[in-house]
Amino acid sequence: MAAPHIVLVGLMGVGKSSVGRALAREMKWPFIDTDTTIESNEGRTIADIFAVEGEPAFRRIERSALESILASSQPTVIATGGGVVETESCRDTLAAARRSGARVVWLYATIPTMVERTSRSNNRPLLEGDRESTLTRLLDRRGTLYRSVSDAKIETDGKSVARIVREVMNEVANVQPTSPAGPRRVRVELGERAYEVAVGAGAIAALPQMIPPDAKRAVIVSQVGVPSIPELDLPTHLVHIGDGEHAKTLATVEDLCRQFARFGLTRNDLVIGVGGGLVTDVAGFAAASWHRGTRVVHVATTLLAMVDAAIGGKTGVNLPEGKNLVGAFWQPSGVVCDTNWLATLPERELRCGWGEVAKYHFLTGDDLLTMSTDERIARCVRIKADIVAQDEREGGRRALLNYGHTFGHAIETVTGHRFAHGEAVAIGMICAAHLARILGRVDDARVEAHYRVLDAYGLQSVLPADLDHDALVSAMGRDKKATSGLVFILDGSAGLESVANVEPVHVLAALASAAGVR
Ligand code: GLY
């Protein structure tokens, strides 16, 4: 037993299989579910084994399956049956595996979450009758056993699979994915303004190479609560800007520029934006304005900034009259997307990022869902980099990056920002898919593909029933991009395209479909 397997333990319904499968994809290891192995070895279901042979016999079968899986020299992610800790010999087997380098992680969920999750499956022999009291009893009995066999406990309530995976990976940080690729480098080809984006776990290590050798000092623009970057080899001055859209103003830029002046920042120096899209937009615009243009490096700490805001040089601030009305195209000298920071993000923030990732599924035919998170983010960066290289100033193709955004912005406005940007864009893509179908551009299967992608990211896809569709259409008419009637990016046989002068009656029909029961 020499392999550093990762073994997931915990009660039924905590997500061991879905987390295990996604974790295996990240580690590039095989995934084995002990229950599935037992069922295929025995040629019958766990429920049948329980019913015919009884629990003690099942536990013996389980122990020998676990022993042979752990004996493999191929590092593997292993999801165990919930009762594996009931048998002393299985606990001993797990302890021996830990001594040989395996890590055991206890996935924990509260009773209501497990009741909810287990109600979707009938193949739970121990859960007949009152699920809540059975689970409570099992947790009482097994809780201390799970603790005794595991290296770490991870709470899973309300967390996405991707987030739990990231937390498990942080816990087992001494176990490395197979052939770690190191950060990927994606080049944004813009001639003399070309730059690199470093993407992956630990990509922050690439930051010092992105600092221009002639820069003598740097101002770091960030926000309270954003992870800090390692110390750099030049004098720095840290400035925190405020949180939320109200901080994205000309007043903030003025304040930043005055701090640049007091720190003695010259045109040859550097601004480093560390944070999400708000920070990179504001820091980028301050850099674009300072001495008519000072270099900027972005360190994206949110998923949304990694796959979108920090790449491509769009910078700007809001006015009371509208969002992003004042700005400049100002390409950074480099961008860092360190995916280790994804684990620090609140769940909703991460979900919003997935909303932006979802649009990349429809920009290309790539099946991003089969990729690990790091590969997928690097692929999104690659897609965006290629589009920006072809159309830096949004004269054409770059507008495709706004897929779902016409509907999405209207949803944000009409709901008074009850939906965050990424959530609204996700629903916006569903509306756009229905609109494309109504206009005869795509078929029902393509609309269904949109729902599948959103479901995979745990994103809401149904337009809320309480929204006033006429108000949504008038909000779209006020969109600053609506220069030729209502304009949408729509799917079609040739992929995404910009479609102008769409009739409001078709938009209303799309909204009705998007609000309908699936
Ligand atoms: N966020 C869309 C773009 O950068 O063009």
Side-chain angles (χ1 to χ4, degrees), residues 238-508:
L238 173 66
V239 188
H240 282 144
I241 62 171
D243 213 357
E245 287 294 316
H246 64 267
K248 201 175 159 182
T249 58
L250 284 167
T252 302
V253 175
E254 179 181 353
D255 181 53
L256 275 177
C257 289
R258 293 185 63 186
Q259 301 223 36
F260 294 171
R262 289 199 288 273
F263 184 57
L265 199 76
T266 72
R267 190 167 183 208
N268 287 330
D269 292 328
L270 184 68
V271 176
I272 305 177
V274 183
L278 190 141
V279 169
T280 60
D281 276 12
V282 172
F285 186 49
S289 315
W290 181 245
H291 289 199
R292 300 192 182 85
T294 301
R295 290 167 294 197
V296 63
V297 168
H298 294 310
V299 178
T301 60
T302 66
L303 179 54
L304 197 141
M306 292 180 194
V307 296
D308 195 21
I311 324 283
K314 276 192 183 175
T315 73
V317 294
N318 303 333
L319 291 180
E321 286 73 16
K323 284 178 69 173
N324 296 328
L325 290 182
V326 183
F329 284 101
W330 188 245
Q331 297 297 341
S333 311
V335 180
V336 172
C337 304
D338 190 326
T339 52
N340 279 338
W341 284 330
L342 296 180
T344 67
L345 296 180
E347 194 58 42
R348 192 167 181 202
E349 175 70 59
L350 200 55
R351 200 164 52 233
C352 286
W354 293 126
E356 287 290 341
V357 168
K359 80 182 177 194
Y360 289 100
H361 285 252
F362 306 106
L363 273 157
T364 64
D366 296 3
D367 188 358
L368 301 175
L369 289 175
T370 58
M371 300 178 183
S372 70
T373 305
D374 287 9
E375 279 170 327
R376 191 183 304 154
I377 293 172
R379 181 69 191 130
C380 294
V381 170
R382 170 85 276 152
I383 296 168
K384 178 153 188 182
D386 289 347
I387 291 177
V388 169
Q390 289 162 21
D391 176 25
E392 185 183 3
R393 293 186 170 239
E394 203 165 315
R397 208 169 140 62
R398 184 159 180 172
L400 304 185
L401 291 166
N402 297 324
Y403 188 43
H405 284 56
T406 309
F407 283 105
H409 284 152
I411 295 167
E412 282 181 86
T413 308
V414 165
T415 59
H417 296 272
R418 186 171 96 216
F419 288 88
H421 180 70
E423 294 167 330
V425 165
I427 301 174
M429 280 186 278
I430 292 293
C431 300
H434 280 289
L435 181 55
R437 187 185 44 76
I438 287 163
L439 296 177
R441 299 173 57 87
V442 297
D443 57 13
D444 287 341
R446 187 67 179 158
V447 178
E448 197 41 49
H450 282 67
Y451 282 108
R452 260 202 316 278
V453 168
L454 264 55
D455 286 350
Y457 290 119
L459 288 157
Q460 177 176 336
S461 52
V462 178
L463 186 70
D466 61 336
L467 299 191
D468 177 343
H469 294 186
D470 290 317
L472 286 169
V473 174
S474 18
M476 290 175 216
R478 288 194 299 272
D479 194 303
K480 68 176 185 293
K481 294 194 174 88
T483 46
S484 329
L486 292 176
V487 186
F488 296 89
I489 307 300
L490 294 180
D491 205 357
S493 52
L496 297 186
E497 282 170 336
S498 180
V499 180
N501 295 317
V502 178
E503 294 294 336
V505 62
H506 292 137
V507 181
L508 286 168

Side-chain angles (χ1 to χ4, degrees), residues 79-124:
T80 57
V84 71
V85 291
E86 298 268 3
T87 325
E88 194 181 348
S89 55
C90 281
R91 296 197 297 272
D92 292 344
T93 305
L94 288 174
R98 284 168 72 193
R99 285 194 295 277
S100 307
R103 304 294 304 267
V104 180
V105 178
W106 173 20
L107 298 186
Y108 170 89
T110 57
I111 301 293
T113 300
M114 287 189 288
V115 168
E116 209 273 309
R117 293 188 192 152
T118 53
S119 63
R120 298 184 212 134
S121 157
N122 287 326
N123 191 17
R124 306 279 189 190

